[in-house]
Amino acid sequence: MKKYSYHVLSLLGLLLVFAGCGNQQGQGSSNGALNSSAAEKVYVAPGQQDEFYAFLSGGYSGNLTVYGLPSGRMFKEIPVFSQFPTSGYGYSEETKPMLNTSHGFVPWDDLHHPDISQTNGELDGRWIFVNGNNTPRIARVSLSTFETEEIIEIPNSAGNHSSSFITENTEYVVAGTRFSVPVPQRDMPIAEYKSNFKGALSFIEVEPEHGHMDIKFQVLMPGFNYDLSHPGRGDSHGWFFFSTYNSEEASTLLEVNASQNDKDFIAAINWKKIEEYVNNGGGTKMPANYAHNVYDESTHMGTSTMKKEVVTVDPTKVPDAVFFLPTPKSPHGCDVDPSGQYIIGAGKLSADLTVHSFDKMLAAIEGKKFDGEAYGIPILKFEDVLAGTVKSGGLGPLHTEFDSKGNAYTTFFISSEVVKWKLGTWEVIDRQPTFYSVGHLMIPGGNSRKPFGKYVVAMNKITKDRYLPTGPEMEHSAQIYDISGEKMELIYDFPTHGEPHYAAGCPAELLASKSKKIYRLDENKHPYAVTSPDQAKVVREGKNVHVYMSTIRSHFTPDNIEGIKVGDKVYFHITNHEQDFDVPHGFSMIGQNTSEILVMPGQTKTSVWEPKQVGVWPFYCTDFCSALHQEMQGYVRVSPANSNIELSWSLGGD
Ligand code: RUQ
Ligand code: CUA
């Protein structure tokens, strides 16, 4: 019987394999991703490594995912704005403060736009910045530890979407509000939105050595929606460009009411001028309340501080610093080419792309070629700033990236395609379908002076039939195109996590050699660290019990603890004594209301347990760390609240 079913199964398997081949051949002729030369282009042989890192935003997962290009293999999910049971981020005592905000503990967000730090307009691979849309925050992730090191909340902002883009020497990371709101927040009728709400564009200074962030100033703009932004570079370094929509200032049924004007604007902000104005005492110090959370790599500990003040700037008070460039049809994407000369506005309700010229903009400002003003901000004449129009033939343009050969690549959401066109001549060179409804796209370094134009990754909103179905909910899908030739070639499909919006990529060699392997035990400054197992101890302070514990293959010190009582709060401070790459130990306790934690070599992490029932309760290591991993366990004896069992601990019965 057993043998018989085995044969049936293998026969079925064969049939499935044949069915699979048939399908693939069927599609293969029309679909480049399935022909063998395309397969070779993405094949990274076992043991070989990828040429590029790609960091994809996780959207509503609140996380950032790390992939390899061209293989599409996922290496890591980096928790940023979310609790993450896989590592214990946001659950451990050390990382909980990272998720503190003025609204309390907010363990999730909607992460959209990663941007890698730059020096002289080129990727330098120190940090990657990301935005939390929902509860406005900007985070800085270290590209040596691949961990979140800092999160700053943005006051006076709501729907932190035109973020987090950096200037060409990482002087600032910029965060713009999507929703305009009352500034300061107050109780008022929604119907009085028009001319009363404000849109805050925040310039967050990045300290060059450690990357620490501090809000330098917020420009309080008219009550439009600020959608995307990008920095000037090269000649336009010192300027920042933001797309706007809802210049109608509608507060209801925006799909109709915010689509009335034929043109909205791209706001051009001369941040160097405003910086100078602020340095000379300009701007208004406004009371505020926002969290600044910093993780210290030597103490392995996050702290949260509430900040109480922010400098705001009225743009009409700074001469020649802010202008509006009329841009058709509710622009979404706002991208700047590698030379810094062209600013591309993608009117999402249009077929064409509007390209503004930086030089023409300067001349129009100089010649005062204005077409009225909006709330005191001059509107430049459309014809006087226009460099050209790309007659795309597509529908619903969203985002543009660039290669190093003077080409631009724009996504079209409605017509589901990537269109390649030439900067300067505006002619369309090629177009390739995406599967389906593409949002952003990414070329490594595509938002810098020096793009690495070998691959483009398209990130799509809809997956449908690309993979085996998994119920109504599918992961989103990305496509990789080889763009080294004149024509783009689709070479691979891969699923993504959450909803990737934007992504950032860089050559592997920029990061791989600097990637941290261990934390050195002799540099561990965690206040509860034990640097040798004989320091392990258990200390009672009233109802709080601190367990100073160490781990090494394959035991905990101590592994038996008695004298814990119901109602205690037990802090397990675990120091991993390994000093070898890739040997974490885990810690988990039965009935714990948090998560397990993973402790990296040389690191200390703390997990809290509040025992509610008497008994003898086991704990164990959650990471299969050695052949004797299953032996890596211990017990805690929990006695009634009024018991007088003495606190004691041991290893090996001593
Ligand atoms: S968005 S799909 Cu960047 Cu949030 Cu355009
Ligand atoms: Cu340590 Cu398993």
Side-chain angles (χ1 to χ4, degrees), residues 138-157:
I138 298 289
R140 182 175 53 81
V141 174
S142 159
L143 288 180
S144 79
T145 60
F146 289 65
E147 292 199 359
T148 304
E149 281 192 334
E150 189 174 2
I151 295 181
I152 193 164
E153 191 181 358
I154 316 293
N156 299 328
S157 180

Side-chain angles (χ1 to χ4, degrees), residues 336-359:
V336 179
D337 83 305
S339 75
Q341 180 56 230
Y342 298 120
I343 303 121
I344 291 109
K348 58 186 183 275
L349 302 177
S350 122
D352 301 338
L353 295 169
T354 302
V355 186
H356 298 299
S357 150
F358 178 70
D359 286 347

Side-chain angles (χ1 to χ4, degrees), residues 225-489:
N225 287 42
Y226 296 84
D227 207 4
L228 263 308
S229 69
H230 270 97
R233 51 179 65 97
D235 287 348
S236 57
H237 176 57
W239 290 80
F240 222 97
F241 303 94
F242 294 81
S243 57
T244 73
Y245 65 103
N246 192 23
S247 57
E248 296 86 348
E249 292 181 81
S251 58
T252 182
L253 197 62
L254 262 67
E255 68 175 303
V256 177
N257 296 328
S259 305
Q260 299 298 308
N261 294 348
D262 182 53
K263 295 188 181 69
D264 294 275
F265 305 114
I266 283 178
I269 311 261
N270 187 328
W271 57 262
K272 280 217 165 138
K273 271 209 168 131
I274 301 177
E275 177 187 60
E276 198 183 305
Y277 170 79
V278 169
N279 285 344
N280 291 325
T284 310
K285 288 203 172 109
M286 185 186 273
N289 187 35
Y290 57 102
H292 183 209
N293 312 328
V294 181
Y295 184 82
D296 182 323
E297 204 180 302
S298 64
T299 61
H300 307 200
M301 186 98 69
T303 48
S304 179
T305 318
M306 295 310 293
K307 303 201 107 184
K308 296 293 175 191
E309 206 173 58
V310 71
V311 174
T312 59
V313 172
D314 173 348
T316 63
K317 297 270 164 63
V318 196
D320 292 339
V322 181
F323 298 90
F324 284 134
L325 285 62
T327 307
K329 303 287 175 205
S330 302
H332 180 60
C334 175
D335 297 288
V336 179
D337 83 305
S339 75
Q341 180 56 230
Y342 298 120
I343 303 121
I344 291 109
K348 58 186 183 275
L349 302 177
S350 122
D352 301 338
L353 295 169
T354 302
V355 186
H356 298 299
S357 150
F358 178 70
D359 286 347
K360 286 179 83 173
M361 181 191 94
L362 289 187
I365 293 170
E366 185 75 23
K368 302 213 177 307
K369 302 266 177 57
F370 299 148
D371 202 353
E373 52 154 64
Y375 295 102
I377 296 169
I379 300 171
L380 296 166
K381 280 213 173 89
F382 180 65
E383 299 71 31
D384 286 308
V385 293
L386 186 72
T389 303
V390 181
K391 301 268 173 219
S392 70
L395 247 194
L398 292 183
H399 300 284
T400 303
E401 291 262 299
F402 308 90
D403 65 15
S404 53
K405 296 181 224 147
N407 301 306
Y409 301 77
T410 301
T411 54
F412 286 76
F413 179 81
I414 300 173
S415 51
S416 284
E417 57 185 335
V418 178
V419 172
K420 175 180 179 182
W421 52 277
K422 190 125 212 103
L423 287 158
T425 69
W426 323 124
E427 70 191 303
V428 169
I429 299 168
D430 188 25
R431 60 196 327 129
Q432 287 296 327
T434 59
F435 306 92
Y436 305 91
S437 298
V438 59
H440 278 270
L441 74 176
M442 185 276 284
I443 292 172
N447 173 37
S448 76
R449 278 207 213 182
K450 191 181 167 195
F452 301 86
K454 189 163 178 189
Y455 305 108
V456 64
V457 180
M459 285 154 276
N460 311 309
K461 304 300 178 188
I462 292 171
T463 302
K464 301 262 194 216
D465 56 358
R466 297 307 280 186
Y467 312 113
L468 290 175
T470 53
E473 191 199 341
M474 305 280 290
E475 288 288 23
H476 286 216
S477 183
Q479 267 100 42
I480 306 177
Y481 301 81
D482 179 340
I483 54 166
S484 54
E486 179 80 355
K487 299 278 177 202
M488 298 178 275
E489 186 191 358

